[in-house]
Each structure stands twice: as structure tokens, then as C-alpha cells.
Amino acid sequence: MATEYALQSPVGARLSGHPWHRFAVLGDSVVEQPGGFADLLRDELAAARPGLQYRNLGVRNLRAAEVRDGQLPAALALRPDLALVVCGANDAMRPGYEARADAVDAALAGIVRPLQQAGALVLTVSVFVMREYPRMPPWLGTGFARRMACLAGRTNALAATLGTLHVDLSEHPAIARGDALTGDDGLHGNEHSHMIAAAALIDRLSAQF
């Protein structure tokens, strides 16, 4: 897919002339990782607009409600005109997620809506969902992949309801091809997956101006 290779173009070229000045990132370990897709997107935005203000508030192991309660005030203080919100995986990975899913959706909406009301274009992402996760600890149960797919479906639906600029990676062709997308822990994305995610976000953003 073309989006897998978009980052090979000169840095900033795809987003030349973009209108954003302040970029906030909220979430868990998916966005916390240094050099991950949030930082790659930052690099593209900053190359096209020197002086871009950027704050990545991501912290690993947080559930969606914790992201809302702990990160939203600081994000709003930046007065972002662009925000990336990626969380929910720490809710979904644990058994019993389906019974808590409405509350997780409400927490996500409680992050997105205030950002939108403050004038930010909000980006959301449904992360890659592997067919199986053989290196996950036994206490997470056999339904791990099913719960992650459920999260992706609900995030897709919520994004449509809230009107976010959404990227769905949950059934990306790289998964079916058997591409190596996870790192040493068998859960978090590797460099290849972050490149794909960043390129997909750049594609979505470049169509907005």
C-alpha cells in the first residue's frame, strides 16, 4: 500500500502548508514510545511548520479513564489545534472488557469532545490487531485477540459518531501478509508498524487542507 512508503518522501513534503500550530498527544504506551508514530508525525508537521508546539503526554499502563483524568487538563492548557488520542488497549487486554466497554467508550468520548470544543482537530487510531498473541501471559486469557478486535470495532464506531479524523489499522494488509509488526514483548509495535501508522496518519491529514 502507498501509505506504507509515504515516509520515504522528503520530510515535511506531504504536509507542506498545513495549518496546525500546537499538537497534543494523549494516550498510553502506544504513543509514549520515543520515536514511535506520534513522534514521526510530529517530525513531519514540524518540518513543514517550524515552531510547531508539541506535547506528548502518553504514559504506559493507563486505562482510558486515567488518560482522561490525568492528561486532558494539560492537553487543553496547550490550546491545541491538533490532537492525537490513542487509548483503551489497557482496558481491552484484561478479561471482562466487554462488560466494561460502554464505560471505556464514555471515557474516550470524555477526552475527544473537550478537545474538539476547544477547537482541536482530533485524530484517533484503532491499532493493529494480530491474529494471535502467543507471548502474552496466561492470566490475560485466550480471548485477548478477540477483545482487541472488539476494541477496534467500538473505536471505529465511536470515531464515526464523534467525527474524529480516524485511522483504522486493525485489519491492515500487513497483518494478513504476516509482516513482523510487534517488538520483543510480542505486544507493542516495532519500527515497521510505527512507520505504517505514521504514514497512514500523514495521508489522512494531507487530505484536510
Side-chain angles (χ1 to χ4, degrees):
M1 293 181 64
T3 54
E4 295 187 49
Y5 306 104
L7 293 184
Q8 294 181 6
S9 60
V11 176
R14 294 293 305 280
L15 297 177
S16 178
H18 76 75
W20 300 292
H21 296 81
R22 295 174 300 279
F23 177 33
V25 176
L26 303 86
D28 52 29
S29 58
V30 176
V31 294
E32 179 196 40
Q33 182 175 335
F37 69 84
D39 285 355
L40 291 171
L41 177 56
R42 180 273 318 274
D43 291 346
E44 295 283 330
L45 289 162
R49 181 176 290 281
L52 177 86
Q53 296 181 50
Y54 173 67
R55 187 163 186 192
N56 188 333
L57 297 159
V59 176
R60 65 181 54 247
N61 297 327
L62 295 188
R63 302 191 190 196
E66 294 171 318
V67 171
R68 178 197 62 206
D69 296 343
Q71 298 177 19
L72 183 60
L76 291 172
L78 183 67
R79 297 182 296 109
D81 47 17
L82 182 67
L84 170 64
V85 177
V86 186
C87 57
N90 287 305
D91 299 273
M93 67 190 298
R94 293 169 170 82
Y97 161 67
E98 291 88 347
R100 304 187 302 270
D102 286 345
V104 176
D105 287 356
L108 285 166
I111 301 168
V112 170
R113 286 195 177 104
L115 289 165
Q116 291 174 324
Q117 290 164 0
L121 173 65
V122 179
L123 294 160
T124 50
V125 176
S126 291
V127 299
F128 298 99
V129 178
M130 302 298 107
R131 299 294 183 261
E132 56 183 16
Y133 295 83
R135 284 183 280 178
M136 291 299 95
W139 69 267
L140 289 174
T142 58
F144 184 90
R146 184 196 70 243
R147 295 193 299 274
M148 294 302 290
C150 179
L151 171 67
R154 295 186 70 107
T155 303
N156 293 344
L158 187 64
T161 298
L162 297 175
T164 67
L165 197 65
H166 186 65
V167 170
D168 179 12
L169 299 171
S170 63
E171 296 184 356
H172 191 280
I175 300 168
R177 289 199 306 262
D179 288 16
L181 296 175
T182 57
D184 293 340
D185 65 359
L187 175 63
H188 292 93
N190 59 17
E191 182 180 5
H192 180 47
S193 73
H194 282 283
M195 291 286 286
I196 293 174
L201 285 164
I202 291 165
D203 272 0
R204 293 289 283 129
L205 279 174
S206 66
Q208 299 304 302
F209 59 95

